[in-house]
């Protein structure tokens, strides 16, 4: 638009030059009028150009402000995008952690189920084993003068009588239970037998409990006669 006004100004100057040459022979008053008209034309054109320049400056300012707004909006959009990507990454991480935790819980449940089953099987075996010992009490009592009692801690107490001929009712006793490895654990002999640990080791190896009881009775008998 400014270029058009300048071209129009050049055209006006050319026209004025032509008129000026054609009127060189005119009167001085005509020359003055022509000069004034030229001045007015120049003034009007300058004012018009000034307005146009101000409008162009405002348009440039508006354009720059629009660019700044776009830059600010782009920056905000980029920040939101980065926050969104970070949030998505966190959600994925939490999802993976949840999957790992779920897998671990399932593994723990399976392990607990296996251990529970193993414990139940072991308890059942122990109960059956103790039951067999208890049902053999009458046989042992008749043949060995042995009484079996169930005492604290799941232990069985074995009481021998008829060992000391002078005092047949005098008790000779020891306690027995099954440990976590389901092995025989012998303790609390009265009177104390030095060979009790050796007898315990033998019964663990042979699993011959009848022979173990017979050997314990022999050890008590030997103690009496010695």
């Amino acid at each position: 638009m400014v270029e058009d006004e300048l071209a129009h100004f050049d055209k006006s100057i050319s026209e004025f030059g032509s008129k000026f040459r054609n009127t060189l022979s005119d009167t001085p008053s005509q020359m003055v009028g022509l000069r004034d008209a030229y001045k007015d034309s120049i003034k009007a054109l300058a004012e018009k150009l000034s307005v146009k320049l101000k409008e162009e400056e405002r348009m440039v300012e508006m354009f720059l402000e629009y660019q700044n707004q776009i830059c600010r909006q782009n920056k905000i959009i980029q920040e939101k995008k980065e926050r969104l990507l970070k949030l998505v990454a966190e959600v994925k991480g939490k999802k993976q952690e949840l999957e790992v935790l779920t897998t671990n819980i399932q593994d723990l449940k399976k392990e607990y189920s296996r251990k529970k089953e193993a414990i139940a099987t072991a308890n059942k075996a122990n109960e059956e084993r103790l039951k067999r010992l208890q049902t053999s009490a009458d046989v042992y009592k008749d043949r060995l003068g042995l009484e079996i009692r169930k005492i604290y801690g799941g232990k069985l107490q074995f009481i021998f009588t008829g060992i000391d001929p002078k005092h047949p009712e005098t008790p000779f006793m020891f306690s027995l239970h099954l440990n976590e490895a389901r092995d025989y654990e012998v303790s609390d002999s009265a009177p104390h037998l030095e060979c009790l640990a050796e007898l315990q080791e033998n019964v663990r190896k042979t699993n011959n409990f009848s022979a173990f009881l017979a050997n314990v009775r022999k050890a008590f008998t030997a103690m009496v006669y010695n």
Side-chain angles (χ1 to χ4, degrees), residues 150-163:
K150 189 172 183 179
I151 60 175
Y152 64 92
K155 294 182 179 181
L156 292 178
Q157 188 180 55
F158 295 78
I159 305 171
F160 294 97
T161 56
I163 291 179

Side-chain angles (χ1 to χ4, degrees), residues 16-218:
F16 176 78
S18 298
K19 289 180 180 180
F20 180 76
R21 286 190 295 271
N22 293 330
T23 57
L24 287 176
S25 59
D26 291 344
T27 63
S29 59
Q30 290 177 332
M31 291 292 295
V32 172
L34 183 60
R35 184 189 61 187
D36 293 339
Y38 174 74
K39 288 182 178 180
D40 292 340
S41 176
I42 293 298
K43 182 178 179 181
L45 181 59
E47 291 176 353
K48 191 173 183 180
L49 286 175
S50 177
V51 171
K52 292 295 183 181
L53 287 173
K54 289 181 180 179
E55 290 179 354
E56 293 292 338
E57 288 177 355
R58 285 196 297 270
M59 290 184 65
V60 170
E61 291 176 355
M62 291 175 62
F63 176 75
L64 292 176
E65 178 62 23
Y66 178 70
Q67 279 190 328
N68 290 333
Q69 290 180 359
I70 291 177
C71 290
R72 288 193 293 270
Q73 290 295 326
N74 288 338
K75 184 178 180 180
I76 294 173
I77 292 172
Q78 183 63 29
E79 291 175 352
K80 290 183 177 180
K81 181 180 178 181
E82 291 175 356
R83 288 197 296 269
L84 180 61
L85 291 176
K86 184 178 179 180
L87 180 61
V88 170
E90 290 178 354
V91 170
K92 288 183 178 179
K94 295 295 183 182
K95 183 178 180 181
Q96 292 176 352
E97 290 179 3
L98 180 61
E99 291 175 353
V100 172
L101 182 60
T102 302
T103 301
N104 290 338
I105 291 174
Q106 294 298 328
D107 292 341
L108 288 174
K109 285 183 177 180
K110 292 178 181 178
E111 183 66 20
Y112 172 76
S113 179
R114 286 194 295 267
K115 288 185 176 181
K116 184 178 180 181
E117 184 178 352
I119 291 172
T121 301
N123 288 339
K124 183 177 180 181
N126 288 341
E127 289 175 1
E128 292 176 353
R129 200 170 183 182
L130 292 174
K131 185 178 180 180
R132 287 195 300 270
L133 292 175
Q134 191 67 50
T135 55
S136 301
D138 292 339
V139 176
Y140 290 134
K141 186 174 183 179
D142 293 339
R143 296 183 181 180
L144 301 174
L146 174 63
E147 181 182 357
I148 303 175
R149 298 176 183 174
K150 189 172 183 179
I151 60 175
Y152 64 92
K155 294 182 179 181
L156 292 178
Q157 188 180 55
F158 295 78
I159 305 171
F160 294 97
T161 56
I163 291 179
D164 188 349
K166 296 179 181 180
H167 306 283
E169 298 302 321
T170 300
F172 293 77
M173 64 188 73
F174 70 93
S175 300
L176 178 143
H177 70 279
L178 298 175
N179 60 23
E180 294 180 356
R182 299 195 297 276
D183 290 329
Y184 292 111
E185 193 79 29
V186 184
S187 61
D188 306 326
S189 65
H192 178 69
L193 289 175
E194 295 292 340
C195 62
L196 194 61
E198 181 180 353
L199 296 175
Q200 173 183 276
E201 188 65 24
N202 288 336
V203 72
R204 287 181 177 180
K205 291 179 180 179
T206 63
N207 203 32
N208 189 338
F209 194 72
S210 297
F212 167 74
L213 291 177
N215 290 330
V216 172
R217 184 178 178 84
K218 289 178 182 179

